[in-house]
Amino acid sequence: MAGPSCRQSRYIDDFMKAYSLFSLARNAMSYHRNWQRAWRSPDPKSKYDVVIIGGGGHGLATAYYLATQCGINNVAVIEKGWLGGGNTGRNTTIVRSNYLLDASAGMYEHAMKLWEGLSQELNYNVMFSQRGLLHLAHSVHDMQEIGRRGNAIHLNGIDSEFLTPEQVKEMLPIINLNCRYPVMGGLLQKRGGTARHDAVAWGYARGADAAGVDIIQNCEVRGVRVESNTVVGVETSRGFIGAGKVGSVAAGHSSVIAEMAGFKMPLECYPLQALVSEPIKPIIDCVVMSNGIHVYVSQSDKGELVVGSGSDAYNSYSQRGSFDLIEHTVGPLCELFPLFSRLRMLRQWAGIVDVTVDRSPILSKTPVKNLYFNCGWGTGGFKATPGSGHAFAHSIAAGEMNEIAAPFSIDRFNSGALIDEGAAAAVAH
Amino acid sequence: MSQSQRLSQGGMIDRSKPISFAFDGRQYTGYQGDTLASALLANGVRLMGRSFKYHRPRGAIAAGSEEPNALVQLETGAYTEPNTRATCIELYDGLVAKSQNRWPSLEFDIGAVNSLVARFLPAGFYYKTFMWPASMWMTYEKFIRKAAGLGVSPVEDDPDVYHGTYAHCDVLVIGGGPAGISAATAAAGSGARVMLLDEGSEYGGALLGTSDNAAAKSYIDSALGALGQSENVRLLSRTTATGYYDYNYITALEKVTDHLGPGNGGDAPRQRFWKIRAKQVVIAAGSIERPLIFADNDRPGMMLANAVGVYINRYGVLPGNDVVVFTNNDSAYQVALDASAAGATVTVVDTRRNVSADLKSKLEQNNIRLFEGHAISSVQGGKGVESVRIMELSADGESLQGQAWEIVCTCVATSGGWTPSCHMFSQSGGKLKYEESIAGFIPDSSRAKNSCPNVSAGSCNGVFTTQECIAQGVEAGISAAGAAGRSGSVPSVDTFAVNEIPQGAIAPLWLVPTVHPVGEGKAKHFHDFQNDVTAADIHLAAREGFVSVEHLKRYTTTGMATDQGKTSNLNALAIMANIQGVSIPEVGTTTFRPPYTPLTLGAVGGQESRELFIQERKTPMHEHHVASGAVFEDVGDWKRPWYLPKEGEDMHAAVQRETLAVRESVGMLDASTLGKIDIQGKDAVKLLEMVYTNNWQKLAIGSCRYGLMLNEHGMIFDDGVTTRLGENHYHMTTTTGGAARVMNWLEEWLQTEWPEWEVYCTSVTEQWAVLAINGPKARDLLRDLTDIDVSKDAFPFMTMREGTVADVPARVYRISFTGELSYEINVPARYGKHLIEALTEAGKKYDLVPYGTETMHVLRAEKGFIIVGQDTDGTVTPHDMDMDWIVSKTKEEYLGNRAQARVDTRREKRPQLIGLLTEDPTVVLPEGAHIVAEVLDKPPMPTIGHVTSSYMSPNAGRSIALALLQDGINRKGETVSLSMMDGTVHKAKVTDTVFVDKEGVRVRG
Amino acid sequence: MFIINCPYCGDRDQTEFSCHGEAHIPRPTNTATMTDEEWGDYVFFRSNPKGYHRERWLHDHGCRRWFNALRHTVTDEFVATYKVQDPRPQIPGDGDQS
Amino acid sequence: MDSPVIATPLSAVKIDTDGFTALELGHISKINLRGDFDSPAVVGALTTLLGMQTDLAPNTFVSNGAATLFWLGPDERLVYTDRDPDAIISQWRNHTGTGAVDVSDYSTVLRLSGQKVRDVIASGAPFDMHPDNFSAGQCVQTRFGNASILLSNHADTPVFQLQVRWSFAEYVFNYIERVVKYV
Ligand SMILES: Cc1cc2nc3c(=O)[nH]c(=O)nc-3n(C[C@H](O)[C@H](O)[C@H](O)COP(=O)(O)OP(=O)(O)OC[C@H]3O[C@@H](n4cnc5c(N)ncnc54)[C@H](O)[C@@H]3O)c2cc1C
Ligand SMILES: NC(=O)c1ccc[n+]([C@@H]2O[C@H](COP(=O)([O-])OP(=O)(O)OC[C@H]3O[C@@H](n4cnc5c(N)ncnc54)[C@H](O)[C@@H]3O)[C@@H](O)[C@H]2O)c1
Ligand SMILES: Cc1cc2nc3c(=O)[nH]c(=O)nc-3n(C[C@H](O)[C@H](O)[C@H](O)COP(=O)(O)O)c2cc1C
Ligand SMILES: [Zn+2]
């Protein structure tokens, strides 16, 4: 398996097309008239070697790595709406790799390493900002949890530090340590942080396009054509598109795609909500996550507080959730940071997250030959985008899930070998 | 320069109440009834803020909540509030405001260099640069972050309080303009329970900004007076409907005391958050004017035409003595007339060539110059408009031609037409339709969501005369009331007319051409003022393929500012439509999301934070623990004594003392928080058989048994002791944190899977106050207080007896979580306090020691008893816990049974619970420490297990630990290594899990 | 924020309820003879439709009864709520009773 | 030893302000009754043991001086009684063969009165208490903040009773005390 690559992509060979301060300046001289499309808008061909369903970050990354690392350039990404309009375009952008279980640590740390060179690799600034990610512990039980996770992470070779309440206060002077369930400690991953969600989709799209991938937007997959238990293509709103292999990376719609192919998935879709405040000058400099009182907050480069809310516990494809979750997000936020109470919420929204019982993703072969699924990232897959795409691309190319993807096979729901990060640690995102 | 722009008469301000206020350190005077913006304008201040990206000088363009520019930092210290719209701040005495996003001052802002290099900062420039060297991004980012943001957050805790409340009505009317008032009147007349909200300080909406607003006011007052009489009507002004959710759930923010100034609200909350459930909703939210997009259309002094009208008529302020009205429709002509009447020199520039004779003659009568078929080609003046140049538009509207005329002016009133406020309708899930005749989207009432019955009325529905608005309002009010089941007799609702000129025949001109192609001259054509998004940015986005309206939004950030594009969105997508050569509806709109205007976080969550955040559940003995000096631990929502230090003791000392005392004399623990479920009915035992792994058929009445519960995945999720109280009667206990979960688990199975079984479960957790007494002297102590025969034979281990303890009725369970001779005394909660006092008194002679949860944990660990949730984590089976003894081999079925047989669950070498004894007995391993397969110099090191519980055990005379270790049961006797975060390595021997009294003699003593 | 019609208590606010996933998944009675696949299917695999969904709700803060609902997962609108033992209401526009 | 003192969670506190009073009613014996309330055995037991009519509509309660019977669910009623609950419980079981549990101490009851009552409770409860929807004789199990409550309307003046679990009583009381100032 090819390792993460940090060199500037060789596929953007035309230096003038590459983005840089220089190209920006040059284009400014011509009033920005000469910028090219970030990606083409081709008509679908009749057949591709690989068709990827879903133009979110994971789908685009898969296509990008197929084309740039696996030597498969005859690839299409089929997106029913606009690129990145799914969860990629609506998540709270938290990136970390401090997971407890080996399988998860393997996946997320793989992704982290790719994140660390991604802007350069893609020649697109994805604003990956390693500002640090701090998990707060509010009870003896939380302390046991971060104790276990901190050690596990450390021994997996991933950075993590325990903080005392005093150290937490030093990092975050505005925190109220004596909130209901006082802060008893913290677990810090300095390499954790955020990235600009849209840029990730666009950067991968541009990179994939440059490597020959056809990105086809506004094209909905409406059927999966299977002949003698082997996938041969997809029926779309723009006609049939043949495919040697199909990778479904449709996040919130994976069950729908599976139904088209004639099987069920261990998934349920829920609305997951988030909100942003009005922009303000910098006030918190790291990502703060508290499972004890349910707060997830960071501040974007533009200045808004980006606040994760919860997921409603009913199945839904509506991209809207119920308001009481917003109340139960803002209440805790004001509890932990009482001075935010005079700030204002600017916008709230929801995404459709596909959740497995063990809250870990599925990267897997399926009952249909040559049809692969990458889904179930639920509330926390943005951070995995490069790693997931990379592992999935190599797995599709090989026809077998690779070492990083293998534990996430769908078989685990029959064997019982769940990767139950949630049960083990009760940690979200 | 005192109120130089204040008109000598007119307006709805109270000239008898002058108010002094400060802006950017200078003192000014305004009047009661002013907003900060109107008062500043009255004082000749046009420059109020700087834009986000280019730091361009900006003034107010609007008079309402759609304002994108005039954002200020209101007040100071703990009361400070960033990004507050000057157009919505009601003036109060002593108000202090500062401009934002500028340094060192508003007049001279260093950040304005961005404007000079603007050419290098097109939409999305940051995606293209700042990438090299990679290590520098964090440094670049720091600067970017500092430069971004608008105002500053307070750094002190909010001194204000907030109130939230639910409300219900038949008909909710959103918006108190003519349409809303008449809808409310009609609905109330039909007998409906009505709520009428308006975000303004006064009802009347657009009527307040008309030149005959005095007459309008008396019309409004009489309508509101009548509404106010009705018991069934709730009137809420200063209240914005912020969100419209499923099933007609509408949230609204009422600004209760903001207009009084900080600290002046008395006992009243600062703001109130309404959660309204309405059977029917009438949306009468009015419409918002759009600016025309032309070169440098952002200079202070440029305003929406209707805002100019509002400042003149409502506030008695003339925003400029020389006014150019620039329009593509009729409605701004009224503003020209009003400005002229107020004494301004007015010029009208109309992009159209077919202005009606009627309008022309009106202008002529007032000596107002008119340029037909013309457009503004450029603007002079930096921190305020000084003059504009106009040129003739080509017939196709694509270019400018001829000679440029310069018109001196300090105010430009522009109107690009009216955008109906469809926010609420869209948020409710309704779909919009594009109406060519008004060049705007309006609600498609046939595509409202079934669960959100509503009707739009007035200008938000695309009608632009007051009389039509009133007529629609009445109709909407009656139909909504009827749909809500109220159809009384409706009194006739008065209609009313004002001086206004409807939009009429609008000739859309989405982007006024300039001499240079868009984006190539120096001039900028702003549509999103706050986020500094220009027409050129839209062109760039289109060029780069960001053509979907959602990409356009995200790439250029148009519509993402604090005004959410109220004045800009339609312009932006129309420009994109033109570039693409498609129709506006084909481009489509972005999603309307709550809140309508930014919503104070404290109002949403403030009430249920701090002391009302999450209930602190306390047992009936709580006060006693407090008096005993207990330090508390949060267990779930409960407060439990953690340890009870004596003078000078730290936690360790207290726990060691308590732990020893229990095994030496007797200890006492408040166990009231354990979940308790009363189970009755002839099929009760069937239920137990299904939910526990062991056998329950043969449990004798009066006997107790321990049980483990598994989920259907086969993993342990709760445990506890259940006692048979009678023939078909059981008392189940659960973990403290698991009580609700277990109750639901039982009920779910009973109600959905086995509804024919006769079993009744009742939570009795709080019914009983429970004291556990443990230790060799527990029996003696109990004997002193009870009428129960406590002798060993009469009251054996794992049985229950009823009687009295300390003269109150009690159930005493002889069960033990400590391995000591133990009794759990349950009395009705009302006697809990009595019980602990009586025991404390009687215990003196036995050296009774109260102990807390930490000691309990040590004691049970000494005996190897697990804590579900600490030693288990949702991924362990009974076998993993070395608890095969509790899994029935004979039962046909129980929940979680089948899962035990799966490949992975049967797998060898799963992590299993074992004991660990460190080589150095003084080392207490940290909980969570990992056992490594092999010690390496540095990570990564493969791990094979982790410590779940670890304590210094005074009874074992050394440290002890429990751990989950792969294949642990077979490894007993081996030595393993644990690698710490700081690099130290501890060695420990793998043992069984019982460290004290291995034979279990004491518990049966 | 739904209004949910509890079949026992009537129309109530959503916050009184909790949802417990797909309804009508009877617990198998032949667990001993089931394969791991069959068991996995019962415990983990759900239809998760984009469309009409039959699901279980609990009136937590009310009568504490479980009941079923037929709801559309795109509009989030309830078609019907019904008691556990009641016949399944029909899916709108669908003749089939399943 | 002195005869044992009976404690209730809110005995030490009360609210008495303009338009609103809240007062704990002290210890009340309460029994949770289960069974098929249409069956002759249960109907008979209710009449003989409590002198109660049995056709209680959902969300209502009846009172006969000595006892008050609340509808809690299709197979569940709650009784407040003056009499010894143990006796009633054992007779109930004998008569009906179904469940009965002493829940006297599980919860406590606040009496709320004054014209502000509805607005105070609306601050935490999503239920519509307008007299059209909630008149004297009706009761409702709903939510107040995070707590489950049983709210009953005893007079439209109004006089409400609010029953809440013991361990949530302080929270509910604090909540009421906070919001009463604001309505
Ligand atoms: C509010 C919120 C907050 C979150 N916060 C975080 C966080 O902080 N950190 C984190 O790591 N993760 C977070 N997540 C999760 C994260 O967003 C997702 O796991 C991740 O973005 C999934 O990426 P994806 O590419 O798989 O899916 P998506 O971006 O959803 O892409 C799937 C694409 O498939 C397309 N599609 C679906 N059906 C079809 C079809 N039939 N034909 C064609 N195309 C189709 C969709 O339109 C969509 O564009 C959050 C999610 C949400 C909703
Ligand atoms: N001359 C023209 O072309 C033209 C165009 C549009 C409107 N108008 C005039 O404007 C008036 C329109 O009457 P109307 O009643 O439809 O609207 P209105 O603008 O008079 O009143 C709407 C009211 O709704 C309030 N509002 C909007 N959104 C709200 C929210 N989310 N929450 C709370 N309040 C909210 C506003 O503050 C405003 O007071 C008429 O007099 C009409 O003639 C004229
Ligand atoms: C990290 C992040 C930051 C955001 N910042 C803003 C913002 O500053 N202004 C804004 O209007 N919306 C912001 N949004 C929300 C988007 O406008 C939008 O609501 C979200 O992408 C979901 O799309 P939808 O609302 O169109 O369904 C942000 C979203 C994310 C994920
Ligand atoms: Zn109910």
Side-chain angles (χ1 to χ4, degrees), chain A residues 32-33 335 341 344 348 423, chain B residues 82 158 245 520 543 610 873:
Chain A
H32 302 289
R33 245 182 285 128
E335 175 72 9
S341 138
R344 285 179 290 243
Q348 63 166 103
Chain B
D158 189 347
Y245 304 87
E520 302 198 0
R543 208 169 288 141
R610 307 191 203 178
D873 68 2

Side-chain angles (χ1 to χ4, degrees), chain A residues 54 56-58 79-80 87-88 91-92 94 221 251 379-383:
Chain A
H58 290 233
E79 166 56 51
K80 75 178 162 76
N87 293 333
T88 300
N91 74 87
T92 50
I94 297 174
V221 170
T379 59
F382 175 69
K383 63 179 74 66

Side-chain angles (χ1 to χ4, degrees), chain A residues 53-60 78-95 99 108 219-222 249-254 256-257 260 272-274 308-309 349-354 374-375 377-385 429:
Chain A
I53 308 174
H58 290 233
L60 292 163
I78 315 270
E79 166 56 51
K80 75 178 162 76
W82 43 285
L83 278 191
N87 293 333
T88 300
R90 54 189 69 240
N91 74 87
T92 50
T93 76
I94 297 174
V95 175
Y99 280 75
Y108 293 102
C219 178
E220 184 177 10
V221 170
R222 293 183 176 155
V249 200
H253 283 79
S254 301
V256 178
I257 308 284
M260 293 174 193
L272 177 66
Q273 304 191 57
S309 183
W349 66 91
I352 310 165
V353 294
D354 52 340
N374 179 342
C375 58
W377 291 96
T379 59
F382 175 69
K383 63 179 74 66
T385 305
H429 298 268

Side-chain angles (χ1 to χ4, degrees), chain A residues 8 19-21 24-25 28-29 31-39 82-83 89-90 102 119-120 123-125 127-131 138-141 144 147-148 150-152 154-157 160-162 180-182 184 196 198-199 202 217 275 278-285 293 299-303 319-321 323 326-328 330-335 338-350 413-418 420 423-424, chain B residues 52 78-84 101 119-120 122 126-132 134 137-138 141 145-158 160 162 245-246 251 270 273 275 427-429 449 519-520 540 543-546 548 550-551 553-555 560-562 564 591 593-595 598-602 605 609-610 613-616 633-634 636-637 639 642 713 869-870 873-875 902-904 927-930 932 939-941 943 946 979 981:
Chain A
Q8 187 177 329
Y19 291 158
S20 69
L21 200 59
L24 192 66
M29 295 306 136
Y31 304 106
H32 302 289
R33 245 182 285 128
N34 299 324
W35 289 110
Q36 304 196 342
R37 288 185 69 105
W39 56 84
W82 43 285
L83 278 191
R90 54 189 69 240
D102 293 348
S119 294
Q120 290 72 32
N123 177 237
Y124 205 89
N125 191 349
M127 301 186 198
F128 177 52
S129 170
Q130 294 180 297
R131 266 174 291 142
H138 297 266
S139 65
V140 175
H141 183 266
Q144 287 161 343
R148 178 179 174 197
N151 278 293
H154 166 75
L155 290 169
N156 266 321
S160 77
E161 287 168 44
F162 294 117
R180 174 84 173 94
Y181 309 128
M184 297 175 77
R196 182 75 203 162
D198 294 325
W202 302 339
Q217 297 186 77
L275 59 102
E278 293 182 324
I280 44 165
K281 294 291 176 198
I283 181 99
I284 47 174
D285 202 24
I293 62 173
Q299 191 172 8
S300 80
D301 283 347
K302 232 177 100 213
Q319 277 192 354
R320 45 200 270 153
F323 185 75
I326 299 296
E327 286 182 90
H328 289 130
V330 175
L333 182 71
C334 295
E335 175 72 9
L339 51 80
F340 287 167
S341 138
R342 293 183 92 78
L343 300 182
R344 285 179 290 243
M345 167 172 145
L346 173 58
R347 188 173 170 101
Q348 63 166 103
W349 66 91
F413 298 96
N414 300 325
S415 70
L418 300 193
D420 209 336
Chain B
F52 193 88
Y79 285 105
T80 198
E81 196 192 31
N83 309 337
T84 310
N101 203 37
R119 201 183 228 206
F120 303 100
Y126 29 81
Y127 300 126
K128 295 176 177 150
T129 72
F130 301 129
M131 283 176 280
W132 293 276
W137 166 244
M138 295 305 291
E141 191 192 30
R145 288 168 76 81
K146 274 220 185 91
L150 288 167
V152 299
S153 161
V155 289
E156 290 164 59
D157 291 359
D158 189 347
D160 274 318
Y162 301 86
Y245 304 87
D246 285 334
T251 55
R270 176 183 176 220
F273 189 60
K275 295 169 275 187
Q427 283 184 27
S428 80
K449 222 167 146 177
E520 302 198 0
L540 174 63
R543 208 169 288 141
E544 295 194 274
F546 296 93
S548 136
E550 298 288 357
H551 279 156
K553 161 181 154 174
R554 286 159 178 83
Y555 192 61
M560 296 180 81
T562 65
Q564 293 282 289
T591 307
R593 295 275 192 188
L599 174 55
T600 313
L601 293 172
S609 65
R610 307 191 203 178
F613 178 43
I614 291 175
Q615 58 286 346
E616 289 186 352
E633 180 191 2
D634 289 304
D637 310 339
K639 287 282 176 197
W642 194 7
H713 178 40
Q870 177 172 343
D873 68 2
T875 67
R902 290 170 314 172
V903 178
D904 190 74
E927 284 167 354
H930 275 58
V932 293
M941 282 180 244
T943 63
H946 75 279
S979 175
M981 294 268 269

Side-chain angles (χ1 to χ4, degrees), chain B residues 405-472:
Chain B
W405 300 84
E406 178 138 355
I407 308 173
V408 171
C409 61
T410 47
C411 174
V412 177
T414 77
S415 178
W418 292 82
T419 306
S421 284
C422 301
H423 305 73
M424 285 292 130
F425 178 74
S426 298
Q427 283 184 27
S428 80
K431 299 281 183 287
L432 304 179
K433 62 182 176 201
Y434 191 74
E435 193 57 59
E436 290 287 351
S437 64
I438 62 159
F441 286 97
I442 60 167
D444 183 348
S445 56
S446 69
R447 296 172 73 203
K449 222 167 146 177
N450 287 334
S451 53
C452 294
N454 63 46
V455 29
S456 292
S459 70
C460 69
N461 199 32
V463 297
F464 292 147
T465 66
T466 302
Q467 273 165 314
E468 285 172 287
C469 288
I470 291 175
Q472 277 205 348

Side-chain angles (χ1 to χ4, degrees), chain A residues 359-379:
Chain A
R359 314 253 147 187
S360 285
I362 295 169
L363 286 89
S364 187
K365 298 210 241 183
T366 66
V368 175
K369 194 156 176 279
N370 291 345
L371 174 61
Y372 307 92
F373 263 62
N374 179 342
C375 58
W377 291 96
T379 59

